[in-house]
């Protein structure tokens, strides 16, 4: 096990609603990244947090936002949910930039 | 053009076979490279990092060719437990990891 945990494991939301997903990073890892993985695709980078600051962002709209806390845990918030937001959301922690990333089990979000 | 391209497969091979996966990346400034495996409906798990000199971990060998912007993974003596999707991953600027779409492998008894 990687030591990265995510909650909840599954979630069903309605279009237009908001959702918050949570991640606890592996002990000693100060960098957390979030990914969206649609069925049959590789994970797509959403953003990364390093020491509570956003440290890079992929091609996702502003309704995807995040936070990192002093204990390095993190949240992903998605506003105004769309059907295409249905995916597996993965959190990954790393001991430093450029190093290998360790993934949590993911949150499977379904938007109806 | 995609940052990372992989042959999606599927690759169906008998137990004991040797199988190779290839991956190309588009940006020559890419700095670090990895192979991950992902089982159905599970998270990606790090299989191995890929170094310029090539590296081996048991039955698995990874190679990097920077001139051709090409990464490979060789699996020898395939086991049933090797059945999974193999993801090629490239890191360019320290914070963003680019994943390929994955190559599906099924090892047949």
């Amino acid at each position: 096990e990687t030591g990265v945990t995510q909650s909840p494991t599954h979630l069903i939301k309605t279009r237009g609603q908001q959702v918050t997903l949570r991640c606890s990073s592996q002990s000693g890892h100060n960098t957390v990244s979030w990914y969206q993985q649609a069925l049959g695709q590789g994970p797509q980078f959403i953003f990364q947090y390093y020491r509570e600051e956003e440290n890079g962002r992929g091609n996702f709209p502003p309704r995807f936002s995040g936070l990192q806390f002093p204990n390095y845990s993190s949240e992903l918030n998605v506003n105004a949910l769309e059907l295409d937001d249905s995916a597996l959301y993965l959190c990954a922690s790393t001991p430093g930039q450029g190093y290998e990333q360790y993934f949590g089990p993911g949150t499977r979000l379904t938007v109806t | 053009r995609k940052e990372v391209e992989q042959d999606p497969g599927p690759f169906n091979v008998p137990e004991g076979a040797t199988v190779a996966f290839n991956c190309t990346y588009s940006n020559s400034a890419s700095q670090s490279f990895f192979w991950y495996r992902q089982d159905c409906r599970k998270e990606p798990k790090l299989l191995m990092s890929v170094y310029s000199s090539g590296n081996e971990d048991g039955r698995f060998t990874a190679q990097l060719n920077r001139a051709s912007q090409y990464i490979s993974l060789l699996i020898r003596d395939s086991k049933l437990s090797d059945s999974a999707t193999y993801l090629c991953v490239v890191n360019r600027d320290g914070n963003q990891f680019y994943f390929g779409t994955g190559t599906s492998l099924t090892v047949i008894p």
Side-chain angles (χ1 to χ4, degrees):
Chain A
E1 299 298 326
T2 63
V4 181
T5 61
Q6 292 187 242
S7 63
T9 53
H10 295 86
L11 203 50
I12 299 174
K13 288 286 190 177
T14 303
R15 191 170 47 184
Q17 287 188 314
Q18 178 266 343
V19 68
T20 298
L21 310 182
R22 295 180 174 83
C23 169
S24 291
S25 61
Q26 187 171 338
S27 177
H29 289 188
N30 56 19
T31 305
V32 172
S33 300
W34 285 92
Y35 293 84
Q36 180 195 67
Q37 187 175 23
L39 204 59
Q41 301 296 316
Q44 298 294 310
F45 177 74
I46 302 175
F47 44 56
Q48 183 184 83
Y49 278 83
Y50 170 66
R51 294 186 175 180
E52 303 177 58
E53 298 284 332
E54 189 179 287
N55 184 43
R57 189 179 183 91
N59 189 25
F60 280 81
R63 60 189 184 84
F64 286 78
S65 63
L67 280 174
Q68 187 180 32
F69 301 100
N71 66 355
Y72 303 133
S73 66
S74 178
E75 285 182 355
L76 164 66
N77 298 290
V78 188
N79 293 322
L81 283 167
E82 300 176 359
L83 297 178
D84 284 349
D85 295 333
S86 295
L88 179 67
Y89 287 85
L90 294 159
C91 164
S93 76
T94 179
Q97 293 184 49
Y99 288 86
E100 59 271 14
Q101 298 193 332
Y102 297 91
F103 285 85
T107 294
R108 193 164 296 280
L109 173 66
T110 302
V111 182
T112 61
Chain B
R1 186 182 171 188
K2 287 186 179 179
E3 288 275 344
V4 180
E5 304 227 33
Q6 288 184 256
D7 179 349
F11 285 67
N12 299 314
V13 303
E15 267 187 294
T18 295
V19 61
F21 304 138
N22 301 319
C23 165
T24 57
Y25 59 95
S26 61
N27 196 307
S28 60
S30 298
Q31 298 168 332
S32 49
F33 310 88
F34 309 91
W35 283 100
Y36 280 73
R37 71 168 277 167
Q38 186 171 26
D39 294 291
C40 188
R41 301 181 74 81
K42 299 283 192 180
E43 73 274 20
K45 292 188 193 287
L46 178 68
L47 181 65
M48 57 199 304
S49 302
V50 186
Y51 304 119
S52 296
S53 55
N55 47 300
E56 188 174 307
D57 182 3
R59 299 181 293 109
F60 299 84
T61 301
Q63 297 278 352
L64 168 64
N65 184 323
R66 286 188 183 270
S68 302
Q69 295 178 204
Y70 170 97
I71 305 158
S72 66
L73 176 69
L74 185 76
I75 306 176
R76 290 181 300 278
D77 188 23
S78 298
K79 312 289 185 195
L80 297 177
S81 58
D82 294 334
S83 297
T85 295
Y86 290 83
L87 296 160
C88 174
V89 186
V90 170
N91 174 257
R92 172 157 49 91
D93 50 13
N95 57 20
Q96 184 161 348
F97 279 54
Y98 298 91
F99 283 75
T101 54
T103 299
S104 174
L105 171 67
T106 300
V107 180
I108 304 161

